[in-house]
Amino acid sequence: MPVSDRDYMRDIPPTRPTRRPMGHIPAFNIIIGVITGVFLLQFGFGWLAQENPFVPSGGVSVAELGQGHVWTLITYMFVHGSLGHFMLNTLMLWFLGKQVQNLFGSRHLVQIFLYSGIFGAALEMAVNAFVHGNTTTPLVGASASVFGLLLALAVLLPNEQITLLVYFIIPVPMRLWTMAKALCIIQIVFAIAGILFPNWLPEGLKIAYFAHLGGAAVGWFYARTLGYGGQPMTYSSQWQPDRRRERSAALAAVRARVEIDLDKLTTTAPTPLASDTAVDDILDKIHLRGIASLTDAERKLLELARDEIIKRDSTALRPR
């Protein structure tokens, strides 16, 4: 579609603005709602308990998968082992999930949540089976998914300033990327300690560290494949529509042309570059990755193209 035919490049609003369908529920609300509903069924009514509320149905383990219960790779993310476990994961999900949905979109939120949870569970079960010989203890909770969301958000907004409350009293400001790295380092230390000194760790510290690390790795990898945190990784085509591979190559060429020809653009003498293929590709990039993915040169080119279209339209409407 030519740039001049796109309504959002003009000051004139479209005649039929798009609206969200009635009854549309964001993916974040659905995830929070399901986790909360399952918790109420589990602890409030005991419907999902096997022997007691602290051994919920839906947990995943090698033994469960061996019986063909493959759905537990998904259901385990929505059940929790205690009130504290539920509250901590829900609180983290509340702050991280909203931001990921706003910045990445609902589809990416769901994919990061599920992929992080599945890979985190697989890594934790593999370690338990080969190192500890444990194939029956069920894994429950959304912790791996939460770590995936955290790392994805940290890749996108590494310099975002947050404040941690040490012992819920002492405020400690730090960058989001710094906090994400610190949490991952803590997980690594305790994960290694759990392998080398399994009897030294108290029961309260024997948690699914490898699931957290697996989820974090997926969140980081997912955000990097989308092009955030530096140059897009070579695996980006796996997460894009069928035409994304061709468009990625085209966008690389556009980026090079923009840097070379930007000096030729002026508001008094617009060039074909500002209204043809280059800007059209940039608009496709916004549709695929969001406006935050544009470089300064691409933003400048888009502004100049918009000025050209407005100037052209005002000239065409001027009485003669």
Side-chain angles (χ1 to χ4, degrees):
M1 178 187 296
V3 179
S4 57
D5 292 341
R6 300 185 184 236
D7 290 328
Y8 50 82
M9 289 293 290
R10 303 170 181 266
D11 280 341
I12 304 173
T15 55
R16 300 181 67 180
T18 57
R19 297 180 180 178
R20 283 186 173 183
M22 294 296 293
H24 174 76
I25 303 177
F28 166 76
N29 295 25
I30 295 176
I31 293 175
I32 286 286
V34 172
I35 289 178
T36 304
V38 169
F39 178 80
L40 292 177
L41 291 175
Q42 176 189 342
F43 286 87
F45 301 95
W47 290 352
L48 300 180
Q50 293 177 341
E51 298 176 359
N52 58 66
F54 297 98
V55 184
S57 298
V60 66
S61 66
V62 174
E64 287 286 337
L65 295 178
Q67 296 176 16
H69 301 165
V70 293
W71 57 84
T72 56
L73 279 171
I74 303 296
T75 59
Y76 95 92
M77 307 176 203
F78 299 94
V79 294
H80 292 83
S82 67
L83 176 62
H85 190 202
F86 163 77
M87 291 184 63
L88 179 61
N89 280 343
T90 305
L91 183 64
M92 292 292 293
L93 182 60
W94 178 266
F95 289 108
L96 296 172
K98 273 190 172 182
Q99 293 299 321
V100 171
Q101 178 168 268
N102 291 338
L103 296 172
F104 286 87
S106 292
R107 178 171 63 88
H108 292 305
L109 166 66
V110 173
Q111 290 180 344
I112 295 172
F113 184 88
L114 294 179
Y115 293 158
S116 299
I118 292 172
F119 184 78
L123 183 60
E124 181 69 24
M125 287 187 295
V127 172
N128 281 339
F130 289 104
V131 177
H132 304 297
N134 185 349
T135 61
T136 58
T137 302
L139 180 65
V140 296
S143 303
S145 300
V146 167
F147 267 84
L149 296 175
L150 172 62
L151 264 293
L153 191 62
V155 169
L156 179 60
L157 301 174
N159 296 317
E160 184 76 9
Q161 291 293 324
I162 61 173
T163 301
L164 292 180
L165 291 178
V166 179
Y167 298 111
F168 299 98
I169 299 175
I170 306 173
V172 178
M174 68 172 57
R175 297 166 60 237
L176 181 58
W177 182 246
T178 301
M179 186 194 77
K181 288 194 299 183
L183 288 177
C184 287
I185 291 173
I186 292 173
Q187 304 305 305
I188 292 173
V189 170
F190 279 99
I192 295 175
I195 293 177
L196 299 179
F197 314 105
N199 297 325
W200 290 11
L201 287 178
E203 288 298 324
L205 292 179
K206 292 181 180 180
I207 58 178
Y209 296 110
F210 284 99
H212 301 169
L213 292 172
V218 170
W220 174 86
F221 179 79
Y222 192 104
R224 292 290 287 108
T225 58
L226 293 178
Y228 300 109
Q231 288 295 108
M233 298 179 69
T234 56
Y235 302 97
S236 59
S237 60
Q238 299 177 14
W239 313 94
Q240 303 166 4
D242 294 338
R243 297 182 58 192
R244 186 70 179 272
R245 186 188 303 272
E246 299 176 1
R247 291 184 177 182
S248 295
L251 288 174
V254 168
R255 194 175 293 113
R257 292 208 307 273
V258 168
E259 293 176 356
I260 295 174
D261 295 331
L262 185 59
D263 294 337
K264 300 179 182 179
L265 294 174
T266 63
T267 55
T268 58
T271 68
L273 176 64
S275 59
D276 289 333
T277 306
V279 178
D280 198 52
D281 289 338
I282 292 175
L283 295 176
D284 288 337
K285 179 180 180 181
I286 295 175
H287 175 70
L288 292 169
R289 299 186 182 180
I291 196 170
S293 64
L294 297 184
T295 64
D296 292 338
E298 291 168 339
R299 289 174 182 270
K300 180 64 176 178
L301 178 60
L302 202 59
E303 293 173 1
L304 293 175
R306 181 177 181 276
D307 293 341
E308 289 178 16
I309 294 171
I310 294 174
K311 182 178 179 181
R312 185 188 311 163
D313 290 347
S314 61
T315 303
L317 295 174
R318 188 177 302 161
R320 299 182 179 178

